[in-house]
Amino acid sequence: MKLALLALRNLARNRRRTAISLAVVATGTAALLLTAGFMAFSFEGLSEAMIHGGLGHLEIALGSASAGRTATLERSPAEGLDDWEVVQRQVEALPGVLAASPTVHVAGMVSTASGTSAAFLGVAGDPARERRMGFSVKLRQGDPVPDAPPREGEDRVMIAQGLAQALGVGPGSRVTLLAVDLEGMLNALDVTVAGLITTGVQELDTRYLRLSLGSAQRLLGTTRVSNLLVTLDRTSRTEEALASVRSVLAGHQPPLAVVPWTERAPFYAQVEALYVGIFWFLGTIVFALVVLATSNTLTMTVMERFRELGTLRALGTSVWQVAGLIGLEAVWLGLIGGVVGDVLGAGLIGLLNAIGITMPPPPGAVDPIELRVVFVPEAFGGAILLMLTVLALAAVAPVLRVARLRIVDALTHT
Amino acid sequence: MAFAGLAHAAPTVTPPAAEQRVLLARTNLFSSVPQQFHAMLFVSWSDGLRPLRVEMWRGGRDRMLARVLGPRQAGRFLLQVGAEHYLVAPGARQPVKLGAGVAAAGPVSFEQLLGVDVERDFETERVEAGERMVTFHLVARAGSAVARATPRARWVVDRIRRQPVRLDIVLADGRTSRVVEFASFADPRTLVPAKLILKDVLRGGPPMTVELERFEPMAVPDGLFSLTDGAVRAQLPPAPPAP
Amino acid sequence: MTAPPVFDARGLSKRFHMGQATVEALRGVDLQVSAGEVLVVAGPSGSGKSTLLHLLGTLDEPDAGALTIDGTPASSMGEAERTAFRRIRLGFVFQTFNLLPVLSAQENVELPLWLAGVSSGERRRRAHEALAEVGLGARRGHRPDQLSGGERQRVAIARALVHRPLAVLADEPTGNLDSGTAAEVMELLMSLNRAHGTVFVIATHDAALIARAPRRVALHDGRVASDERKASA
Ligand SMILES: Nc1ncnc2c1ncn2[C@@H]1O[C@H](COP(=O)(O)OP(=O)(O)OP(=O)(O)O)[C@@H](O)[C@H]1O
Ligand SMILES: [Mg+2]
């Protein structure tokens, strides 16, 4: 006969009350799991959207350029990589690297034959590599820019919807790009609109266009690129890949900067802090509710069993054994409630994902998103540990009550 | 001078005295420089940025063509026809019309090289006359070719030598954007400048020096300034190497 | 020299404060109980019987007077020592039986042995034996709510005796039993006393019980009014 077993049997005495306590703990646990799962979904979704929206996992740029920090679309190849094809080969030979794709950023004016013009931010890349890296271009109309480098006079672009609208152009239209080349002189390039795209961000859609690497280099009069974007087979390998890419490029002259996406993602730190904040906020509410509810039941349990606890003391049970008996009841509640909550949470997550809920597009975004709740394995263990902590806290008052118990009063208690 | 002080007090447009009108006309290098010429300019920066060589043609009062010499710049021209500026580039079938902002944003603009037509395109708001230097405060005439890029200007001349000294390009809000100093003249009679120093007051940066390497008055073919046909431009001899 | 008395109480006093009022539950009780004695503490309700048993059982401390149990002054023991002392040397029987409802009869009886750290096999054997001694060998798997009042009190007695204590303190052990069952319980206590020499101090109102007791101490208003031994004993 063990104290823990005795505590378990005591729990079974008032089945209704125990069931309510367990329901509270299990609900709290499941709520935390759902919250964690939803947060992980949002965060992963946001991260993957940023990474595959053009950020990549790592950026390789000239060390002297203002590399990293934010994902700027205005990093001129003026401070770019000359021998990028060598670097590309070195990096693509590393394990876990899907591709190291060159990009050229170019900013300028785009104008039509009729004289309408607007500022643009152009991004040029290697379409085949970008497909391999899972970069998605959301084509809304027309065709993508062909993979093959364009011949002179056959340059093609994909224009973001907002920009196309402002210019009054569509697939097949001819427009002229105007930009300052790397020598500081103006240059112009006629291009054909191949298709209309969206970046998913309304604000960017009014300025964005994509062109092939060859077109951008022709416009800028250079063979350089602004940077190389490296994408990995798994986002979780970012740190490991960062180290290996850095060591491979350590001796490069001029020095190169390798920057992980977390440092370049706009507002990454703020978004992360926001999510962590929301999670703590909800966690604290759940924590407080469960502490209040279970502390109350445990106190009632102690009050009801005063005579029994007095008897145990009279028979020579130590204060700590008696207090431990109550503490163990709390631990059982936390453990059983946590496990039930884990099962409940897993069930709910599965159910929600099976139903498939579509949510309206978040502010500034274009497309609605499909809600998914992620299984966060650590959260399952974490929630149980948290519930044990919660119950330990809830048991403090009742246990102190037991410790202060006067045997004679307890024995005569009715 | 007495009336200069008066003009100062009254910011309305007061017609300059006859003597000053003559001074303005005498120093208007835009009209005194030959109407048709071919020139070679050497452009350098005090902080050692790579210098440029610019080749330039004038084909009448408001027709200019310029190209920057260098292997990467081949086939590219900056073209002014009347009030409009165009970029001619091999990648663009048609000359690309440049907005006033874009045209003025380049390192060198025609206004800075030849000054502006201080008589035709501007009205004199007032005149400040010192012992030797006379400053004409100018306002662009509405609709004139320069009105957008150079809404106001200060034209500083040397009364004794009868030569322009400085052009300040002033924005509509009164801020000075650029200063062009006429450091020396190749021909004091025609006022062909030999050396200009340009300062971008608004954006800062090192002063830029423009030196006239060659200047030859000559008949320039009309076709160089065509907006529809680049054939004559294409026949220009290949650019001499960059410095 | 004879062995020291199991209980040696000198001038025990206990006061309770209820608001403004002070209740003198015991006012200088002298009592010596020798090994092997069976003693009944009688007296009207409120005379201090329970209070005296609590002091003798180290469940409470006197305001004045001295108590020596088996040669050890109770006042010299700390909380932990008193707990250990009760666990090893004393047994308790209560009017309301006070069995743990979640434990079977067997487990209830094993409880003092478990507290004393006796191995499980030994525990089972001795609890079984104790239950057999009180005539409940066949019902050891039952929980208290499946037993009658008399049976529960037998289990409680087995629990009080299973670890072979020096003395058992029983407060109204028959108070919740009918008179027939009460007589059987008293008979049982007497036989256990004869078998093991355990001291029994029994507080009771029960006239039948008092009549059968070898020694009767009558309390009145917190004082010992009389202390008589049966001549036949
Ligand atoms: N915890 C307490 N607080 C206040 N008064 C108490 C307390 N315990 C006992 N008393 C008082 O002390 C006196 C003696 O009580 P005690 O319980 O010892 O009497 P008793 O002889 O056992 O009575 P009964 O036969 O009714 O059990 C009574 O007046 C009782 O009210
Ligand atoms: Mg009593």
Side-chain angles (χ1 to χ4, degrees):
Chain A
M1 187 173 52
K2 293 268 151 44
L3 213 55
L5 213 61
L6 186 54
L8 193 59
R9 286 199 202 169
N10 277 335
L11 266 187
R13 275 158 80 168
N14 195 329
R15 282 170 204 274
R16 209 176 73 91
R17 185 195 296 155
T18 302
I20 290 172
S21 293
L22 287 177
V24 168
V25 176
T27 310
T29 308
L32 285 177
L33 289 178
L34 283 176
T35 310
F38 177 67
M39 298 260 155
F41 159 73
S42 307
F43 200 63
E44 266 176 35
L46 190 72
S47 305
E48 294 304 317
M50 285 195 287
I51 290 164
H52 294 113
L55 209 55
H57 288 105
L58 305 173
E59 182 199 38
I60 302 170
L62 211 60
S64 58
S66 55
R69 288 178 286 283
T70 53
T72 175
L73 290 178
E74 293 167 84
R75 172 161 303 145
S76 163
E79 287 191 297
L81 306 167
D82 275 317
D83 62 340
W84 59 271
E85 280 155 306
V86 177
V87 175
Q88 184 178 50
R89 269 195 300 279
Q90 284 177 295
V91 172
E92 286 188 343
L94 294 172
V97 172
L98 287 181
S101 189
T103 30
V104 170
H105 296 156
V106 49
M109 299 289 293
V110 51
S111 57
T112 64
S114 64
T116 320
S117 67
F120 76 87
L121 286 171
V123 176
D126 174 340
R129 279 205 164 74
E130 291 185 353
R131 268 198 305 279
R132 207 191 313 158
M133 306 201 306
F135 281 19
S136 49
V137 171
K138 289 184 193 137
L139 190 68
R140 287 294 153 91
Q141 214 183 314
D143 300 312
V145 167
D147 287 6
R151 280 199 303 237
E152 235 167 278
E154 292 179 6
D155 300 278
R156 292 168 164 270
V157 296
M158 292 184 279
I159 294 195
Q161 286 171 317
L163 182 56
Q165 209 169 6
L167 293 169
V169 298
S173 303
R174 301 276 293 170
V175 295
T176 304
L177 305 181
L178 198 65
V180 175
D181 70 12
L182 293 202
E183 293 180 338
M185 301 298 152
L186 277 174
N187 196 10
L189 187 69
D190 286 341
V191 297
T192 304
V193 176
L196 302 189
I197 54 173
T198 179
T199 59
V201 181
Q202 278 167 5
E203 215 249 316
L204 193 54
D205 271 1
T206 61
R207 292 180 295 155
Y208 190 79
L209 61 83
R210 287 195 69 95
L211 61 172
S212 81
L213 203 62
S215 302
Q217 290 179 331
R218 194 170 293 156
L219 180 58
L220 296 175
T222 185
T223 54
R224 283 185 189 170
V225 299
S226 301
N227 59 17
L228 283 172
L229 293 179
V230 180
T231 302
L232 309 169
D233 52 2
R234 281 197 309 277
T235 301
S236 56
R237 291 183 82 162
T238 304
E239 281 306 310
E240 170 201 338
L242 180 66
S244 60
V245 171
R246 276 185 178 154
S247 77
V248 159
L249 300 179
H252 191 275
Q253 278 310 323
L256 298 178
V258 185
V259 184
W261 67 276
T262 46
E263 282 173 37
R264 301 175 59 229
F267 314 122
Y268 177 86
Q270 289 97 314
V271 171
E272 188 179 39
L274 181 72
Y275 279 155
V276 169
I278 291 173
F279 192 77
W280 273 104
F281 177 71
L282 288 176
T284 309
I285 290 177
V286 168
F287 197 94
L289 285 178
V290 176
V291 167
L292 285 179
T294 51
S295 174
N296 195 39
T297 17
L298 286 170
T299 304
M300 275 164 69
T301 301
V302 168
M303 304 285 262
E304 271 178 11
R305 286 193 230 142
F306 256 1
R307 184 190 290 268
E308 194 176 313
L309 297 171
T311 305
L312 280 171
R313 291 284 287 113
L315 296 187
T317 313
S318 75
V319 181
W320 297 116
Q321 280 172 307
V322 177
L325 191 62
I326 299 300
L328 281 167
E329 275 189 46
V331 167
W332 278 122
L333 277 180
L335 203 63
I336 298 171
V339 169
V340 171
D342 272 5
V343 172
L344 185 70
L348 282 174
I349 290 172
L351 187 69
L352 281 175
N353 288 342
I355 294 172
I357 298 170
T358 305
M359 302 211 304
V366 178
D367 293 326
I369 50 173
E370 168 97 351
L371 174 84
R372 291 196 64 78
V373 187
V374 175
F375 278 94
V376 186
E378 313 90 76
F380 282 78
I384 292 181
L385 281 181
L386 181 76
M387 285 306 155
L388 286 177
T389 316
V390 167
L391 267 298
L393 201 66
V396 169
V399 162
L400 283 179
R401 193 88 175 72
V402 171
R404 284 200 306 264
L405 192 84
R406 286 189 70 240
I407 301 169
V408 178
D409 291 342
L411 281 174
T412 53
H413 191 89
T414 45
Chain B
M1 297 239 147
F3 53 85
L6 264 177
H8 212 67
T12 48
V13 177
T14 42
E19 176 207 352
Q20 288 166 344
R21 256 204 311 274
V22 171
L23 184 63
L24 188 64
R26 176 65 188 84
T27 58
N28 187 358
L29 60 81
F30 192 87
S31 55
S32 56
V33 163
Q35 299 282 303
Q36 301 218 359
F37 65 76
H38 169 244
M40 199 68 83
L41 309 175
F42 183 76
V43 181
S44 57
W45 285 266
S46 62
D47 73 346
L49 279 174
R50 201 137 58 94
L52 299 174
R53 191 160 274 139
V54 177
E55 192 175 13
M56 200 168 133
W57 295 264
R58 191 183 195 196
R61 280 178 76 94
D62 295 312
R63 292 202 306 184
M64 303 266 281
L65 181 73
R67 64 170 170 183
V68 175
L69 305 183
R72 292 187 188 281
Q73 301 299 322
R76 263 191 256 171
F77 296 90
L78 200 59
L79 176 62
Q80 184 194 349
V81 176
E84 300 295 349
H85 293 77
Y86 300 86
L87 176 73
V88 176
R93 241 168 275 176
Q94 300 291 319
V96 185
K97 193 193 276 188
L98 303 177
V102 177
V108 187
S109 69
F110 293 123
E111 284 88 5
Q112 292 158 6
L113 292 176
L114 276 189
V116 288
D117 191 334
V118 291
E119 291 173 289
R120 186 190 61 176
D121 293 337
F122 290 89
E123 280 182 297
T124 305
E125 194 181 57
R126 61 191 170 87
V127 182
E128 256 175 90
E131 278 300 296
R132 184 162 177 179
M133 299 299 162
V134 179
T135 303
F136 293 86
H137 292 263
L138 306 173
V139 186
R141 281 184 219 277
S144 80
V146 297
R148 266 193 296 168
T150 313
R152 286 170 167 273
R154 281 189 297 273
W155 186 248
V156 184
V157 302
D158 182 327
R159 186 159 58 169
I160 301 188
R161 299 174 105 174
R162 307 205 138 226
Q163 284 176 350
V165 174
R166 210 176 81 220
L167 166 68
D168 297 347
I169 295 175
V170 181
L171 299 178
D173 62 10
R175 284 180 301 163
T176 303
S177 71
R178 298 193 190 202
V179 171
V180 184
E181 283 173 26
F182 301 97
S184 64
F185 291 89
D187 177 352
R189 195 176 45 83
T190 56
L191 293 182
V192 172
K195 186 177 175 186
L196 305 176
I197 296 165
L198 309 181
K199 290 174 185 152
D200 191 331
V201 181
L202 215 54
R203 283 181 290 183
M208 182 171 92
T209 304
V210 180
E211 285 159 289
L212 191 72
E213 288 189 323
R214 242 165 67 200
F215 185 83
E216 24 187 36
M218 59 178 266
V220 175
D222 262 1
L224 278 186
F225 308 97
S226 172
L227 288 173
T228 50
D229 183 3
V232 180
R233 283 190 295 268
Q235 281 160 23
L236 283 171
Chain C
M1 275 290 281
T2 52
V6 174
F7 294 106
D8 187 358
R10 308 269 170 187
L12 286 187
S13 291
K14 185 73 186 171
R15 272 194 287 295
F16 292 104
H17 303 278
M18 294 191 70
Q20 304 285 65
T22 302
V23 180
E24 302 251 13
L26 292 179
R27 315 174 189 236
V29 171
D30 293 326
L31 183 67
Q32 284 76 43
V33 183
S34 310
E37 268 195 298
V38 173
L39 170 84
V40 160
V41 181
S45 187
S47 58
K49 304 184 292 292
S50 293
T51 305
L52 178 61
L53 256 63
H54 290 155
L55 294 183
L56 295 181
T58 75
L59 300 176
D60 207 353
E61 289 168 276
D63 295 317
L67 171 67
T68 307
I69 309 175
D70 197 27
T72 309
S75 61
S76 70
M77 293 190 275
E79 169 69 31
E81 284 170 289
R82 284 208 299 274
T83 301
F85 188 84
R86 286 197 299 272
R87 187 166 65 224
I88 297 158
R89 311 303 300 269
L90 299 180
F92 291 87
V93 177
F94 307 94
Q95 178 175 357
T96 47
F97 325 132
N98 294 10
L99 298 174
L100 294 195
V102 295
L103 301 184
S104 67
Q106 167 88 21
E107 288 165 335
N108 263 290
V109 176
E110 278 186 34
L111 189 60
L113 300 175
W114 176 70
L115 290 173
V118 175
S119 72
S120 70
E122 173 77 357
R123 243 164 35 213
R124 209 168 306 125
R125 190 185 60 72
R126 280 169 66 179
H128 194 171
E129 212 175 271
L131 278 169
E133 232 178 337
V134 299
L136 282 175
R139 314 217 55 184
R140 61 183 185 275
H142 291 66
R143 291 215 176 167
D145 57 5
Q146 297 166 321
L147 298 172
S148 72
E151 287 169 332
R152 286 186 218 179
Q153 198 59 306
R154 284 165 196 259
V155 175
I157 291 165
R159 178 177 72 181
L161 281 158
V162 72
H163 55 301
R164 297 277 174 261
L166 191 63
V168 171
L169 300 160
D171 195 352
E172 313 264 12
T174 58
N176 280 16
L177 303 175
D178 62 73
S179 54
T181 316
E184 284 174 31
V185 166
M186 186 59 193
E187 199 51 59
L188 175 63
L189 292 181
M190 298 302 292
S191 72
L192 290 168
N193 167 258
R194 282 192 295 275
H196 306 297
T198 314
V199 169
F200 282 91
V201 180
I202 306 161
T204 188
H205 287 288
D206 192 331
L209 216 68
I210 297 165
R212 297 178 52 92
R215 181 177 169 195
R216 293 180 298 241
V217 174
L219 287 185
H220 196 82
D221 258 353
R223 288 197 181 85
V224 177
S226 67
D227 185 351
E228 306 164 11
R229 278 164 225 263
K230 233 184 205 166
S232 64

